[in-house]
């Protein structure tokens, strides 16, 4: 590796350039936040409806869509990977989300019956971590605030009846994933026109 002697100004400029590249990638991919916000809202609202209608044995069925969403996300990013290279920040955020996705899958599929009414709050805590890491990495206050909202809702879940937890998760999915994703996509399109 080449040893570069960079002045502090050039170092900061290089770091800002890397952060801006990662931010542009996330703004461009605001679609994926919208996709997951909508998918989580639909599945958790469906679970709430099933629980309210006393379909306790099958209330988790809507979440079968989550692994399908993960497969779609994998294809989506693999198609886009050829178009743009990932820098270190993008890789860190991507790996964070992959690790979180596997943990969420294990929590829901393997430990869901053990965790019972604590499952949704734990899922929300993990999602908050992912969103806050993403927001911090690309210096997006919108994502940081979204992560904080998700985190607060996770702790609220511990205090509400477990039947209403999926309803809260569907509302949070729209507020903290779908709407920020829409705003990121609009911002990207607006910046790319200029």
């Amino acid at each position: 590796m080449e040893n570069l002697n960079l002045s502090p100004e050039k170092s900061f400029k290089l770091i800002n350039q890397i952060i801006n590249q990662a931010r542009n990638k996330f703004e461009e991919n605001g679609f994926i936040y919208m996709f997951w916000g909508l998918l989580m809202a639909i599945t958790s609202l469906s679970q709430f409806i099933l629980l309210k209608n006393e379909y306790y044995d099958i209330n988790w069925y809507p979440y079968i869509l989550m692994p399908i969403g993960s497969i779609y996300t994998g294809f989506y990013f693999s198609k886009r990977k050829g178009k743009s290279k990932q820098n270190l920040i993008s890789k860190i955020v991507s790996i964070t989300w992959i690790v979180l996705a596997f943990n969420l899958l294990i929590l829901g599929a393997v430990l869901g019956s053990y965790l019972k009414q604590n499952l949704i709050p734990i899922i929300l805590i993990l999602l908050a971590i992912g969103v806050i890491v993403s927001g911090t990495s690309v210096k997006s206050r919108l994502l940081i605030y979204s992560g904080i909202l998700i985190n607060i809702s996770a702790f609220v879940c511990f205090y509400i009846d477990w039947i209403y937890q999926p309803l809260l998760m569907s509302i949070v999915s729209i507020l903290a994933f779908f709407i920020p994703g829409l705003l990121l996509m609009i911002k990207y399109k607006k910046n790319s026109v200029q």
Side-chain angles (χ1 to χ4, degrees), residues 31-42:
F31 165 76
I32 218 65
Y33 282 99
M34 290 173 50
F35 170 76
W36 278 102
L38 194 58
L39 183 62
M40 288 189 309
I42 290 169

Side-chain angles (χ1 to χ4, degrees), residues 16 18 55 67 96 107 131 140 151-152 162 168:
N16 280 329
I18 291 170
Y55 291 105
T96 299
L107 281 171
V131 173
S140 170
N151 205 44
I152 291 168
W162 68 275
L168 178 61

Side-chain angles (χ1 to χ4, degrees), residues 104-114:
L104 292 170
L105 178 66
I106 291 167
L107 281 171
V110 179
L111 299 173
S113 60
Y114 176 75

Side-chain angles (χ1 to χ4, degrees), residues 125-139:
I125 289 169
L126 290 175
L127 290 172
I129 291 168
V131 173
I132 290 171
V133 167
S134 297
T136 304
S137 298
V138 298
K139 293 184 178 180

Side-chain angles (χ1 to χ4, degrees), residues 1-183:
M1 183 174 194
E2 208 176 296
N3 188 6
L4 298 174
N5 290 329
L6 295 175
S7 68
E9 294 82 22
K10 286 183 180 180
S11 296
F12 284 124
K13 186 177 179 180
L14 181 62
I15 291 168
N16 280 329
Q17 181 182 4
I18 291 170
I19 291 170
N20 287 333
Q21 286 173 349
R23 181 184 297 145
N24 288 339
K25 184 175 177 64
F26 277 93
E27 288 171 356
E28 181 179 345
N29 293 328
F31 165 76
I32 218 65
Y33 282 99
M34 290 173 50
F35 170 76
W36 278 102
L38 194 58
L39 183 62
M40 288 189 309
I42 290 169
T43 55
S44 54
L45 185 60
S46 298
Q47 181 187 28
F48 172 71
I49 292 168
L50 289 169
L51 287 170
K52 285 304 277 185
N53 289 304
E54 299 181 4
Y55 291 105
Y56 301 115
D57 293 340
I58 62 168
N59 76 81
W60 60 272
Y61 280 15
Y63 292 104
I64 292 172
L65 294 174
M66 293 302 202
I68 296 168
S70 296
I71 292 167
Y72 171 77
T73 302
F75 281 121
Y76 176 81
F77 280 112
S78 68
K79 281 178 65 175
R80 299 187 67 78
K81 200 173 195 178
K83 294 180 183 179
S84 64
K85 291 187 177 186
Q86 281 190 324
N87 62 36
L88 182 60
I89 292 173
S90 297
K91 285 181 184 179
I92 289 170
V93 173
S94 296
I95 290 170
T96 299
W97 278 110
I98 290 168
V99 170
L100 286 173
F102 280 117
N103 279 283
L104 292 170
L105 178 66
I106 291 167
L107 281 171
V110 179
L111 299 173
S113 60
Y114 176 75
L115 292 171
K116 296 180 182 165
Q117 68 266 15
N118 295 322
L119 179 60
I120 288 179
I122 292 170
I123 286 172
L124 288 171
I125 289 169
L126 290 175
L127 290 172
I129 291 168
V131 173
I132 290 171
V133 167
S134 297
T136 304
S137 298
V138 298
K139 293 184 178 180
S140 170
R141 281 186 275 177
L142 176 63
L143 290 178
I144 293 170
Y145 294 144
S146 294
I148 291 169
L149 174 65
I150 297 167
N151 205 44
I152 291 168
S153 71
F155 292 113
V156 169
C157 277
F158 285 112
Y159 293 101
I160 63 174
D161 190 21
W162 68 275
I163 290 177
Y164 293 100
Q165 291 177 358
L167 179 61
L168 178 61
M169 189 159 117
S170 69
I171 293 167
V172 168
S173 298
I174 295 297
L175 294 176
F177 279 96
F178 184 81
I179 292 173
L182 179 64
L183 294 173

